[in-house]
Amino acid sequence: MQTRDEVLEQVKAALVELFELEPDRIMPSARLNEDLEIDSIDAVDLMDRLRRQTGRKISAENFRSVRTVDDLVTAVHALVQA
Amino acid sequence: MGERQTYLWRILVTGTCFVLFGIGGLILGLLVFPALLLWPGDSRLRRARTRALVQRSFRLFVAVMSGLRGIGYEFEGRERLGRPGQLIVANHPTLVDVVFIVAFTPAPACVVKAALFANPFTRRVVQAAGYISNAPTDQMIEQSTAALKSGDCLVMFPEGTRTRPGQPRHFHRGAASVAVRGAAVLTPIYIRVDQPLLDKTQAWYQVPPRRPNIVLRVGDDIDLEPYRHLPSPRASRQLNAWLLEHYEQELERTAGYNESA
């Protein structure tokens, strides 16, 4: 079972690797679109990456309400708990 | 015929073509495709048949448009279209360019705007042919990638809509993203018209003063190798920026008026 902190680290690692973001910018409150400039096409790549990393089926539906890094961690955490 | 008569003639031809297109879509969607379903075959074979039929219909439509002297055209290198897993990208200066591309590409799939899936004249055709809606984006990317990986040939317009005359050209990253994710080969078509023709700002009856000519030139395949080793977000950003610049250069070398600023 993964803790929320472990999921946060995974999400951070994915964001850094895919989008070359400075780890400092990935605050829980950072908005993916406005602050980190991740658009709807990037979201597809991000989902792919998280799918591989977690081994879970992740669909766009799981992320419809995701706006911030914190939302994303919550959504992924919920999936790996399920 | 004098200039005035040919001008009026072309308005008549254009109007007729719009009506023919609508009626053609209805006949195909309501009568021909349902009849085709009676033929045996699995879903893949059926879709291939439907696409081939759409292609033939568009070929006929091209013959009517040019036969009635509504438009002249040149299509260079079209024998390189229609390879398995081929992503074809094109700029989009006029409403009619897509007709030429579909007419001369063997059984292509296309990414088309979502509105065509709601339009009563076109929706049965785009559904039966298994065309892909441009929205929502994540679905478009996933379906397009899957289509290419299954060996389909796919047509996309990176501008997303017709070029807005006088404005800088803009490419959406979707096409580049699909290319790095799923294309076996990426082939550009450079399209030029010699005068404004059914562009984003024109009504159907605003025909050009002279008979329009459209030039479609199939370019060399674009090497995707440099992009294959990067994470997809970076690869698609780089490819998209490169494509846009490349298009500006290649369009310079294609005869026609320059619609973008």
Side-chain angles (χ1 to χ4, degrees):
Chain A
M1 193 60 70
Q2 279 181 314
T3 66
R4 212 168 175 288
D5 282 344
E6 284 166 348
V7 173
L8 174 64
E9 286 313 308
Q10 281 193 345
V11 166
K12 264 193 184 175
L15 291 173
V16 169
E17 185 199 308
L18 285 177
F19 307 111
E20 296 182 302
L21 293 171
E22 294 293 325
D24 300 350
R25 288 178 64 196
I26 311 172
M27 314 272 281
S29 61
R31 290 166 300 174
L32 296 174
N33 189 267
E34 296 86 342
D35 301 329
L36 303 181
E37 290 159 30
I38 294 169
D39 63 19
S40 57
I41 295 167
D42 294 325
V44 180
D45 293 312
L46 182 58
M47 279 195 300
D48 261 6
R49 168 67 203 252
L50 291 170
R51 227 175 256 149
R52 278 202 308 272
Q53 211 165 30
T54 62
R56 300 287 168 144
K57 274 202 170 304
I58 296 179
S59 76
E61 283 312 309
N62 302 116
F63 291 93
R64 287 275 177 250
S65 57
V66 168
R67 295 286 172 273
T68 65
V69 171
D70 195 50
D71 295 343
L72 182 61
V73 171
T74 304
V76 175
H77 190 234
L79 276 164
V80 296
Q81 295 290 323
Chain B
M1 284 195 283
E3 233 170 68
R4 173 110 191 115
Q5 283 93 328
T6 59
Y7 177 76
L8 293 173
W9 171 252
R10 276 183 296 106
I11 295 182
L12 187 69
V13 169
T14 307
T16 307
C17 283
F18 269 92
V19 173
L20 274 179
F21 193 89
I23 294 176
L26 283 180
I27 292 177
L28 284 176
L30 292 172
L31 298 173
V32 182
F33 293 154
L36 266 187
L37 286 181
L38 300 175
W39 241 264
D42 60 16
S43 63
R44 203 174 157 73
L45 192 64
R46 283 165 197 263
R47 217 177 41 202
R49 245 181 238 143
T50 308
R51 284 180 186 163
L53 194 68
V54 173
Q55 188 211 344
R56 297 282 170 84
S57 312
F58 275 33
R59 189 74 83 99
L60 182 67
F61 192 70
V62 165
V64 171
M65 285 193 301
S66 63
L68 293 176
R69 304 195 61 72
I71 190 169
Y73 71 93
E74 293 159 51
F75 205 141
E76 258 178 64
R78 63 189 209 220
E79 68 283 350
R80 282 183 287 123
L81 301 178
R83 285 171 281 163
Q86 180 180 39
L87 176 62
I88 298 169
V89 291
N91 59 314
H92 198 2
T94 166
L95 193 60
V96 298
D97 50 28
V98 58
V99 176
F100 286 92
I101 296 176
V102 173
F104 291 106
T105 306
C110 297
V111 174
V112 297
K113 68 172 172 186
L116 295 187
F117 284 86
N119 179 319
F121 294 102
T122 54
R123 69 163 185 251
R124 289 175 195 85
V125 178
V126 292
Q127 267 167 8
Y131 285 2
I132 295 165
S133 170
N134 69 351
T137 307
D138 50 326
Q139 239 171 58
M140 182 276 283
I141 303 249
E142 275 165 9
Q143 290 175 359
S144 300
T145 307
L148 287 166
K149 284 189 169 161
S150 77
D152 283 2
C153 165
L154 181 70
V155 180
M156 285 182 87
F157 293 96
E159 287 174 272
T161 184
R162 278 173 281 164
T163 316
R164 290 209 170 261
Q167 286 183 21
R169 199 182 304 281
H170 173 75
F171 277 4
H172 292 274
R173 203 155 46 85
S177 178
V178 169
V180 295
R181 292 166 142 263
V185 55
L186 174 62
T187 309
I189 307 182
Y190 313 112
I191 304 173
R192 267 294 177 76
V193 278
D194 60 350
Q195 326 154 59
L197 167 68
L198 295 174
D199 68 28
K200 197 75 192 160
T201 62
Q202 291 173 308
W204 71 267
Y205 50 82
Q206 290 177 304
V207 307
R210 290 167 287 118
R211 185 168 76 118
N213 195 57
I214 181 168
V215 177
L216 303 97
R217 187 161 64 82
V218 179
D220 293 332
D221 292 343
I222 291 163
D223 185 12
L224 290 173
E225 202 45 42
Y227 304 99
R228 298 230 192 255
H229 311 289
L230 295 170
S232 168
R234 269 191 272 163
S236 63
R237 279 186 171 81
Q238 287 182 17
L239 176 59
N240 195 46
W242 184 86
L243 258 185
L244 184 59
E245 201 186 307
H246 182 67
Y247 255 88
E248 295 296 356
Q249 287 168 8
E250 289 294 328
L251 286 171
E252 288 286 309
R253 309 200 298 127
T254 312
Y257 98 102
N258 194 354
E259 76 283 359
S260 96

